[in-house]
Amino acid sequence: MIKYIELKWPIATKTRRLMFFGLIAALFLGGCDKDNGINNNNPYIPIVNFSYTINLSLPLYTNLQYASNHVIINYPSVGYLGVVVFNNGNGYVAYELACPNQSIASCSQMTISGVSAVCACDNASYNLFSGQAQGKKYPLKQYRTQLVNGNLTIYN
C-alpha cells in the first residue's frame, strides 16, 4: 500500500521565496540605467534639451579622429554656452562650455587649452579626460554621445 504525504510550505519558506523574488526584481529594475553614469544635476547650469549630429568624415571634424583632440561647437542650440567634443582615446565625450561651479556671468564660457577646459571667472582648470578640477564641487557638465556609422550625435 502506497501512502501519499501532503507537503505544506511553512510560512518562513514562503517569506523567503517572496524575499528572493523581490530581490531579483529589484536587481533587474535597478540595473536599467539610461544615463550611463552621466549626472546632469548642476544648480548653476540650466538644463537644455538638444540633439546635434556631426559627420566625423567632414574636414571640419578631422581633428576628432585622434586621441586628445577636441572640437568646439557653438551652434546656438547646442548646450547652454556651447559644447566641447573630446576624443579621450576610448571614444568621445561632450562637455558644456559653461563654468560648472558658479552662476552664469559674462566670464562663464570656458576656453580650451590642451586637454583642459579653463574657466576665466575663477581660473579653474578642468581635465577633459575626467571632467574634474582639483578642489571643485561640480565636474564639467557632460552630455551624452552616440556614434553610429561615422556620425556622432551629442544630446541631452
Side-chain angles (χ1 to χ4, degrees), residues 42-45 96 98-102 108 110 119 126 131 138-141:
N42 183 308
Y44 300 113
I45 302 173
E96 172 62 49
C99 296
N101 284 286
Q102 57 199 333
S108 292
M110 293 189 288
C119 178
Y126 296 84
Y138 296 104
L140 292 173
K141 182 172 182 169

mmCIF file with all atom_site columns, all heavy atoms in Angstrom, residues 42-45 96 98-102 108 110 119 126 131 138-141:
data_model
loop_
_atom_site.group_PDB
_atom_site.id
_atom_site.type_symbol
_atom_site.label_atom_id
_atom_site.label_alt_id
_atom_site.label_comp_id
_atom_site.label_asym_id
_atom_site.label_entity_id
_atom_site.label_seq_id
_atom_site.pdbx_PDB_ins_code
_atom_site.Cartn_x
_atom_site.Cartn_y
_atom_site.Cartn_z
_atom_site.occupancy
_atom_site.B_iso_or_equiv
_atom_site.pdbx_formal_charge
_atom_site.auth_seq_id
_atom_site.auth_comp_id
_atom_site.auth_asym_id
_atom_site.auth_atom_id
_atom_site.pdbx_PDB_model_num
ATOM 1   N N   . ASN A 1 42  ? 23.376 69.985 -11.895 1.00 0.00 ? 42  ASN A N   1
ATOM 2   C CA  . ASN A 1 42  ? 24.246 71.097 -11.561 1.00 0.00 ? 42  ASN A CA  1
ATOM 3   C C   . ASN A 1 42  ? 23.354 72.326 -11.374 1.00 0.00 ? 42  ASN A C   1
ATOM 4   O O   . ASN A 1 42  ? 22.663 72.736 -12.304 1.00 0.00 ? 42  ASN A O   1
ATOM 5   C CB  . ASN A 1 42  ? 25.266 71.332 -12.676 1.00 0.00 ? 42  ASN A CB  1
ATOM 6   C CG  . ASN A 1 42  ? 26.242 72.428 -12.329 1.00 0.00 ? 42  ASN A CG  1
ATOM 7   O OD1 . ASN A 1 42  ? 25.869 73.529 -11.959 1.00 0.00 ? 42  ASN A OD1 1
ATOM 8   N ND2 . ASN A 1 42  ? 27.520 72.127 -12.460 1.00 0.00 ? 42  ASN A ND2 1
ATOM 9   N N   . PRO A 1 43  ? 23.394 72.938 -10.183 1.00 0.00 ? 43  PRO A N   1
ATOM 10  C CA  . PRO A 1 43  ? 22.487 74.068 -9.923  1.00 0.00 ? 43  PRO A CA  1
ATOM 11  C C   . PRO A 1 43  ? 22.838 75.345 -10.691 1.00 0.00 ? 43  PRO A C   1
ATOM 12  O O   . PRO A 1 43  ? 22.023 76.255 -10.769 1.00 0.00 ? 43  PRO A O   1
ATOM 13  C CB  . PRO A 1 43  ? 22.627 74.281 -8.419  1.00 0.00 ? 43  PRO A CB  1
ATOM 14  C CG  . PRO A 1 43  ? 23.995 73.788 -8.092  1.00 0.00 ? 43  PRO A CG  1
ATOM 15  C CD  . PRO A 1 43  ? 24.226 72.624 -9.023  1.00 0.00 ? 43  PRO A CD  1
ATOM 16  N N   . TYR A 1 44  ? 24.036 75.420 -11.241 1.00 0.00 ? 44  TYR A N   1
ATOM 17  C CA  . TYR A 1 44  ? 24.463 76.649 -11.914 1.00 0.00 ? 44  TYR A CA  1
ATOM 18  C C   . TYR A 1 44  ? 24.195 76.664 -13.413 1.00 0.00 ? 44  TYR A C   1
ATOM 19  O O   . TYR A 1 44  ? 24.154 77.722 -14.022 1.00 0.00 ? 44  TYR A O   1
ATOM 20  C CB  . TYR A 1 44  ? 25.964 76.877 -11.678 1.00 0.00 ? 44  TYR A CB  1
ATOM 21  C CG  . TYR A 1 44  ? 26.315 77.013 -10.222 1.00 0.00 ? 44  TYR A CG  1
ATOM 22  C CD1 . TYR A 1 44  ? 27.081 76.057 -9.587  1.00 0.00 ? 44  TYR A CD1 1
ATOM 23  C CD2 . TYR A 1 44  ? 25.861 78.095 -9.474  1.00 0.00 ? 44  TYR A CD2 1
ATOM 24  C CE1 . TYR A 1 44  ? 27.413 76.174 -8.247  1.00 0.00 ? 44  TYR A CE1 1
ATOM 25  C CE2 . TYR A 1 44  ? 26.174 78.219 -8.134  1.00 0.00 ? 44  TYR A CE2 1
ATOM 26  C CZ  . TYR A 1 44  ? 26.953 77.252 -7.523  1.00 0.00 ? 44  TYR A CZ  1
ATOM 27  O OH  . TYR A 1 44  ? 27.263 77.379 -6.201  1.00 0.00 ? 44  TYR A OH  1
ATOM 28  N N   . ILE A 1 45  ? 24.044 75.484 -14.005 1.00 0.00 ? 45  ILE A N   1
ATOM 29  C CA  . ILE A 1 45  ? 23.874 75.414 -15.457 1.00 0.00 ? 45  ILE A CA  1
ATOM 30  C C   . ILE A 1 45  ? 22.459 74.941 -15.766 1.00 0.00 ? 45  ILE A C   1
ATOM 31  O O   . ILE A 1 45  ? 22.066 73.851 -15.358 1.00 0.00 ? 45  ILE A O   1
ATOM 32  C CB  . ILE A 1 45  ? 24.904 74.457 -16.090 1.00 0.00 ? 45  ILE A CB  1
ATOM 33  C CG1 . ILE A 1 45  ? 26.325 74.920 -15.756 1.00 0.00 ? 45  ILE A CG1 1
ATOM 34  C CG2 . ILE A 1 45  ? 24.707 74.400 -17.599 1.00 0.00 ? 45  ILE A CG2 1
ATOM 35  C CD1 . ILE A 1 45  ? 27.405 73.953 -16.184 1.00 0.00 ? 45  ILE A CD1 1
ATOM 36  N N   . GLU A 1 96  ? 29.676 70.638 -21.540 1.00 0.00 ? 96  GLU A N   1
ATOM 37  C CA  . GLU A 1 96  ? 29.165 72.013 -21.592 1.00 0.00 ? 96  GLU A CA  1
ATOM 38  C C   . GLU A 1 96  ? 30.339 72.965 -21.418 1.00 0.00 ? 96  GLU A C   1
ATOM 39  O O   . GLU A 1 96  ? 31.256 72.708 -20.634 1.00 0.00 ? 96  GLU A O   1
ATOM 40  C CB  . GLU A 1 96  ? 28.141 72.211 -20.470 1.00 0.00 ? 96  GLU A CB  1
ATOM 41  C CG  . GLU A 1 96  ? 27.671 73.631 -20.279 1.00 0.00 ? 96  GLU A CG  1
ATOM 42  C CD  . GLU A 1 96  ? 26.960 74.190 -21.498 1.00 0.00 ? 96  GLU A CD  1
ATOM 43  O OE1 . GLU A 1 96  ? 26.066 73.521 -22.030 1.00 0.00 ? 96  GLU A OE1 1
ATOM 44  O OE2 . GLU A 1 96  ? 27.315 75.304 -21.911 1.00 0.00 ? 96  GLU A OE2 1
ATOM 45  N N   . ALA A 1 98  ? 30.019 76.019 -20.194 1.00 0.00 ? 98  ALA A N   1
ATOM 46  C CA  . ALA A 1 98  ? 29.751 76.951 -19.089 1.00 0.00 ? 98  ALA A CA  1
ATOM 47  C C   . ALA A 1 98  ? 30.495 76.472 -17.844 1.00 0.00 ? 98  ALA A C   1
ATOM 48  O O   . ALA A 1 98  ? 30.523 75.279 -17.550 1.00 0.00 ? 98  ALA A O   1
ATOM 49  C CB  . ALA A 1 98  ? 28.259 77.033 -18.803 1.00 0.00 ? 98  ALA A CB  1
ATOM 50  N N   . CYS A 1 99  ? 31.095 77.399 -17.116 1.00 0.00 ? 99  CYS A N   1
ATOM 51  C CA  . CYS A 1 99  ? 31.797 77.054 -15.874 1.00 0.00 ? 99  CYS A CA  1
ATOM 52  C C   . CYS A 1 99  ? 30.815 76.378 -14.922 1.00 0.00 ? 99  CYS A C   1
ATOM 53  O O   . CYS A 1 99  ? 29.744 76.923 -14.640 1.00 0.00 ? 99  CYS A O   1
ATOM 54  C CB  . CYS A 1 99  ? 32.363 78.301 -15.220 1.00 0.00 ? 99  CYS A CB  1
ATOM 55  S SG  . CYS A 1 99  ? 33.635 79.133 -16.193 1.00 0.00 ? 99  CYS A SG  1
ATOM 56  N N   . PRO A 1 100 ? 31.155 75.204 -14.395 1.00 0.00 ? 100 PRO A N   1
ATOM 57  C CA  . PRO A 1 100 ? 30.189 74.432 -13.613 1.00 0.00 ? 100 PRO A CA  1
ATOM 58  C C   . PRO A 1 100 ? 30.063 74.787 -12.135 1.00 0.00 ? 100 PRO A C   1
ATOM 59  O O   . PRO A 1 100 ? 29.173 74.292 -11.464 1.00 0.00 ? 100 PRO A O   1
ATOM 60  C CB  . PRO A 1 100 ? 30.706 72.991 -13.757 1.00 0.00 ? 100 PRO A CB  1
ATOM 61  C CG  . PRO A 1 100 ? 32.161 73.140 -13.968 1.00 0.00 ? 100 PRO A CG  1
ATOM 62  C CD  . PRO A 1 100 ? 32.349 74.423 -14.723 1.00 0.00 ? 100 PRO A CD  1
ATOM 63  N N   . ASN A 1 101 ? 30.918 75.659 -11.609 1.00 0.00 ? 101 ASN A N   1
ATOM 64  C CA  . ASN A 1 101 ? 30.892 75.905 -10.169 1.00 0.00 ? 101 ASN A CA  1
ATOM 65  C C   . ASN A 1 101 ? 30.545 77.329 -9.774  1.00 0.00 ? 101 ASN A C   1
ATOM 66  O O   . ASN A 1 101 ? 30.919 77.791 -8.696  1.00 0.00 ? 101 ASN A O   1
ATOM 67  C CB  . ASN A 1 101 ? 32.242 75.503 -9.551  1.00 0.00 ? 101 ASN A CB  1
ATOM 68  C CG  . ASN A 1 101 ? 32.359 74.009 -9.443  1.00 0.00 ? 101 ASN A CG  1
ATOM 69  O OD1 . ASN A 1 101 ? 31.723 73.406 -8.591  1.00 0.00 ? 101 ASN A OD1 1
ATOM 70  N ND2 . ASN A 1 101 ? 33.122 73.403 -10.331 1.00 0.00 ? 101 ASN A ND2 1
ATOM 71  N N   . GLN A 1 102 ? 29.801 78.027 -10.630 1.00 0.00 ? 102 GLN A N   1
ATOM 72  C CA  . GLN A 1 102 ? 29.356 79.378 -10.300 1.00 0.00 ? 102 GLN A CA  1
ATOM 73  C C   . GLN A 1 102 ? 28.199 79.778 -11.205 1.00 0.00 ? 102 GLN A C   1
ATOM 74  O O   . GLN A 1 102 ? 27.966 79.168 -12.228 1.00 0.00 ? 102 GLN A O   1
ATOM 75  C CB  . GLN A 1 102 ? 30.496 80.359 -10.454 1.00 0.00 ? 102 GLN A CB  1
ATOM 76  C CG  . GLN A 1 102 ? 31.103 80.362 -11.828 1.00 0.00 ? 102 GLN A CG  1
ATOM 77  C CD  . GLN A 1 102 ? 32.476 80.965 -11.822 1.00 0.00 ? 102 GLN A CD  1
ATOM 78  O OE1 . GLN A 1 102 ? 32.775 81.786 -10.989 1.00 0.00 ? 102 GLN A OE1 1
ATOM 79  N NE2 . GLN A 1 102 ? 33.312 80.571 -12.751 1.00 0.00 ? 102 GLN A NE2 1
ATOM 80  N N   . SER A 1 108 ? 31.739 83.285 -18.006 1.00 0.00 ? 108 SER A N   1
ATOM 81  C CA  . SER A 1 108 ? 31.432 81.866 -17.787 1.00 0.00 ? 108 SER A CA  1
ATOM 82  C C   . SER A 1 108 ? 31.807 80.917 -18.920 1.00 0.00 ? 108 SER A C   1
ATOM 83  O O   . SER A 1 108 ? 31.910 79.719 -18.695 1.00 0.00 ? 108 SER A O   1
ATOM 84  C CB  . SER A 1 108 ? 29.944 81.692 -17.493 1.00 0.00 ? 108 SER A CB  1
ATOM 85  O OG  . SER A 1 108 ? 29.631 82.251 -16.251 1.00 0.00 ? 108 SER A OG  1
ATOM 86  N N   . MET A 1 110 ? 34.010 78.803 -21.003 1.00 0.00 ? 110 MET A N   1
ATOM 87  C CA  . MET A 1 110 ? 35.371 78.300 -20.840 1.00 0.00 ? 110 MET A CA  1
ATOM 88  C C   . MET A 1 110 ? 36.107 78.272 -22.166 1.00 0.00 ? 110 MET A C   1
ATOM 89  O O   . MET A 1 110 ? 35.507 78.224 -23.235 1.00 0.00 ? 110 MET A O   1
ATOM 90  C CB  . MET A 1 110 ? 35.323 76.893 -20.228 1.00 0.00 ? 110 MET A CB  1
ATOM 91  C CG  . MET A 1 110 ? 34.815 76.902 -18.810 1.00 0.00 ? 110 MET A CG  1
ATOM 92  S SD  . MET A 1 110 ? 34.988 75.322 -17.986 1.00 0.00 ? 110 MET A SD  1
ATOM 93  C CE  . MET A 1 110 ? 33.741 74.382 -18.817 1.00 0.00 ? 110 MET A CE  1
ATOM 94  N N   . CYS A 1 119 ? 38.160 77.963 -16.897 1.00 0.00 ? 119 CYS A N   1
ATOM 95  C CA  . CYS A 1 119 ? 37.117 78.944 -16.592 1.00 0.00 ? 119 CYS A CA  1
ATOM 96  C C   . CYS A 1 119 ? 37.785 80.276 -16.277 1.00 0.00 ? 119 CYS A C   1
ATOM 97  O O   . CYS A 1 119 ? 38.601 80.370 -15.349 1.00 0.00 ? 119 CYS A O   1
ATOM 98  C CB  . CYS A 1 119 ? 36.288 78.465 -15.397 1.00 0.00 ? 119 CYS A CB  1
ATOM 99  S SG  . CYS A 1 119 ? 35.020 79.648 -14.918 1.00 0.00 ? 119 CYS A SG  1
ATOM 100 N N   . TYR A 1 126 ? 39.792 72.295 -15.754 1.00 0.00 ? 126 TYR A N   1
ATOM 101 C CA  . TYR A 1 126 ? 39.096 71.009 -15.719 1.00 0.00 ? 126 TYR A CA  1
ATOM 102 C C   . TYR A 1 126 ? 39.725 70.071 -16.735 1.00 0.00 ? 126 TYR A C   1
ATOM 103 O O   . TYR A 1 126 ? 39.867 70.419 -17.902 1.00 0.00 ? 126 TYR A O   1
ATOM 104 C CB  . TYR A 1 126 ? 37.614 71.194 -16.040 1.00 0.00 ? 126 TYR A CB  1
ATOM 105 C CG  . TYR A 1 126 ? 36.889 72.018 -15.014 1.00 0.00 ? 126 TYR A CG  1
ATOM 106 C CD1 . TYR A 1 126 ? 36.911 73.407 -15.065 1.00 0.00 ? 126 TYR A CD1 1
ATOM 107 C CD2 . TYR A 1 126 ? 36.187 71.414 -13.983 1.00 0.00 ? 126 TYR A CD2 1
ATOM 108 C CE1 . TYR A 1 126 ? 36.252 74.166 -14.119 1.00 0.00 ? 126 TYR A CE1 1
ATOM 109 C CE2 . TYR A 1 126 ? 35.515 72.165 -13.028 1.00 0.00 ? 126 TYR A CE2 1
ATOM 110 C CZ  . TYR A 1 126 ? 35.567 73.539 -13.106 1.00 0.00 ? 126 TYR A CZ  1
ATOM 111 O OH  . TYR A 1 126 ? 34.908 74.290 -12.155 1.00 0.00 ? 126 TYR A OH  1
ATOM 112 N N   . GLY A 1 131 ? 36.790 65.301 -16.584 1.00 0.00 ? 131 GLY A N   1
ATOM 113 C CA  . GLY A 1 131 ? 35.791 66.338 -16.315 1.00 0.00 ? 131 GLY A CA  1
ATOM 114 C C   . GLY A 1 131 ? 35.967 66.987 -14.954 1.00 0.00 ? 131 GLY A C   1
ATOM 115 O O   . GLY A 1 131 ? 35.200 67.859 -14.576 1.00 0.00 ? 131 GLY A O   1
ATOM 116 N N   . TYR A 1 138 ? 31.647 70.602 -8.394  1.00 0.00 ? 138 TYR A N   1
ATOM 117 C CA  . TYR A 1 138 ? 30.981 70.061 -9.571  1.00 0.00 ? 138 TYR A CA  1
ATOM 118 C C   . TYR A 1 138 ? 31.968 69.851 -10.712 1.00 0.00 ? 138 TYR A C   1
ATOM 119 O O   . TYR A 1 138 ? 32.775 70.725 -11.010 1.00 0.00 ? 138 TYR A O   1
ATOM 120 C CB  . TYR A 1 138 ? 29.864 70.997 -10.047 1.00 0.00 ? 138 TYR A CB  1
ATOM 121 C CG  . TYR A 1 138 ? 28.759 71.141 -9.045  1.00 0.00 ? 138 TYR A CG  1
ATOM 122 C CD1 . TYR A 1 138 ? 28.646 72.293 -8.267  1.00 0.00 ? 138 TYR A CD1 1
ATOM 123 C CD2 . TYR A 1 138 ? 27.832 70.126 -8.847  1.00 0.00 ? 138 TYR A CD2 1
ATOM 124 C CE1 . TYR A 1 138 ? 27.636 72.416 -7.331  1.00 0.00 ? 138 TYR A CE1 1
ATOM 125 C CE2 . TYR A 1 138 ? 26.826 70.242 -7.906  1.00 0.00 ? 138 TYR A CE2 1
ATOM 126 C CZ  . TYR A 1 138 ? 26.729 71.390 -7.156  1.00 0.00 ? 138 TYR A CZ  1
ATOM 127 O OH  . TYR A 1 138 ? 25.735 71.504 -6.225  1.00 0.00 ? 138 TYR A OH  1
ATOM 128 N N   . PRO A 1 139 ? 31.887 68.705 -11.386 1.00 0.00 ? 139 PRO A N   1
ATOM 129 C CA  . PRO A 1 139 ? 32.710 68.473 -12.582 1.00 0.00 ? 139 PRO A CA  1
ATOM 130 C C   . PRO A 1 139 ? 32.077 69.187 -13.774 1.00 0.00 ? 139 PRO A C   1
ATOM 131 O O   . PRO A 1 139 ? 30.997 69.774 -13.668 1.00 0.00 ? 139 PRO A O   1
ATOM 132 C CB  . PRO A 1 139 ? 32.645 66.955 -12.757 1.00 0.00 ? 139 PRO A CB  1
ATOM 133 C CG  . PRO A 1 139 ? 31.299 66.589 -12.209 1.00 0.00 ? 139 PRO A CG  1
ATOM 134 C CD  . PRO A 1 139 ? 31.055 67.538 -11.055 1.00 0.00 ? 139 PRO A CD  1
ATOM 135 N N   . LEU A 1 140 ? 32.730 69.091 -14.915 1.00 0.00 ? 140 LEU A N   1
ATOM 136 C CA  . LEU A 1 140 ? 32.135 69.614 -16.141 1.00 0.00 ? 140 LEU A CA  1
ATOM 137 C C   . LEU A 1 140 ? 30.810 68.904 -16.382 1.00 0.00 ? 140 LEU A C   1
ATOM 138 O O   . LEU A 1 140 ? 30.675 67.707 -16.125 1.00 0.00 ? 140 LEU A O   1
ATOM 139 C CB  . LEU A 1 140 ? 33.059 69.350 -17.333 1.00 0.00 ? 140 LEU A CB  1
ATOM 140 C CG  . LEU A 1 140 ? 34.377 70.108 -17.365 1.00 0.00 ? 140 LEU A CG  1
ATOM 141 C CD1 . LEU A 1 140 ? 35.240 69.607 -18.513 1.00 0.00 ? 140 LEU A CD1 1
ATOM 142 C CD2 . LEU A 1 140 ? 34.145 71.593 -17.483 1.00 0.00 ? 140 LEU A CD2 1
ATOM 143 N N   . LYS A 1 141 ? 29.832 69.647 -16.881 1.00 0.00 ? 141 LYS A N   1
ATOM 144 C CA  . LYS A 1 141 ? 28.545 69.037 -17.193 1.00 0.00 ? 141 LYS A CA  1
ATOM 145 C C   . LYS A 1 141 ? 28.710 68.246 -18.479 1.00 0.00 ? 141 LYS A C   1
ATOM 146 O O   . LYS A 1 141 ? 29.047 68.794 -19.525 1.00 0.00 ? 141 LYS A O   1
ATOM 147 C CB  . LYS A 1 141 ? 27.473 70.111 -17.351 1.00 0.00 ? 141 LYS A CB  1
ATOM 148 C CG  . LYS A 1 141 ? 26.105 69.529 -17.624 1.00 0.00 ? 141 LYS A CG  1
ATOM 149 C CD  . LYS A 1 141 ? 25.040 70.598 -17.588 1.00 0.00 ? 141 LYS A CD  1
ATOM 150 C CE  . LYS A 1 141 ? 23.679 69.973 -17.811 1.00 0.00 ? 141 LYS A CE  1
ATOM 151 N NZ  . LYS A 1 141 ? 22.618 70.924 -17.536 1.00 0.00 ? 141 LYS A NZ  1
#
